[in-house]
Amino acid sequence: ADYPFRRGVLLLRRDALTFAGDKPQVERIACLNSGSRALKLSADEFSSQELMLRSEPAVLQSGEEGDLVITYTPDGDKQPSWLKLYIKGLDEPLRAREIEVRIDKKNKN
């Protein structure tokens, strides 16, 4: 119940996030490895270039809780309304490894 969203064996507290404004920012998503093998996670090559992903700890052991750490670095004047982040390190199709990232243009600082 603490992790209502599933990306294969990776359970998440939430599966979407919003970054405000046009400056670099970091968000965390609590996660749990419910699988039988360790997971080393990162952003897939199909992810938006403005996003990076790592996990803490760097390798999530079976049954271990941790955080996905998502870093947003704006690309100059380009500021889309949403970006796509795909988690590399899961045995799932691309669409099943997706986290949606929204950009709130109203909160520019």
Side-chain angles (χ1 to χ4, degrees):
D2 285 344
Y3 300 96
F5 301 98
R6 177 179 288 275
R7 298 296 181 268
V9 297
L10 184 67
L11 306 181
L12 306 171
R13 286 238 169 98
R14 56 186 173 143
D15 66 350
L17 27 106
T18 301
F19 287 107
D22 58 356
K23 62 183 177 185
Q25 296 167 62
V26 176
E27 286 281 337
R28 292 175 171 269
I29 297 176
C31 62
L32 169 71
N33 178 0
S34 70
S36 59
R37 67 176 179 83
L39 297 175
K40 183 168 175 63
L41 307 172
S42 61
D44 192 280
E45 64 187 31
F46 297 107
S47 298
S48 298
Q49 296 295 321
E50 298 89 347
L51 300 171
M52 291 181 49
L53 177 131
R54 64 184 168 81
S55 66
E56 288 182 359
V59 176
L60 282 169
Q61 300 299 325
S62 176
E64 187 173 27
E65 292 181 292
D67 284 327
L68 295 182
V69 181
I70 298 103
T71 303
Y72 167 62
T73 305
D75 183 12
D77 292 335
K78 280 193 333 186
Q79 196 176 49
S81 297
W82 57 271
L83 300 168
K84 293 293 182 177
L85 177 63
Y86 300 100
I87 304 169
K88 181 178 181 179
L90 299 173
D91 295 329
E92 297 294 324
L94 190 65
R95 184 86 171 140
R97 298 183 280 124
E98 176 183 348
I99 293 177
E100 185 175 317
V101 178
R102 295 177 200 94
I103 306 300
D104 183 358
K105 296 180 182 184
K106 292 177 263 176
N107 286 328
K108 284 188 176 185
N109 294 327

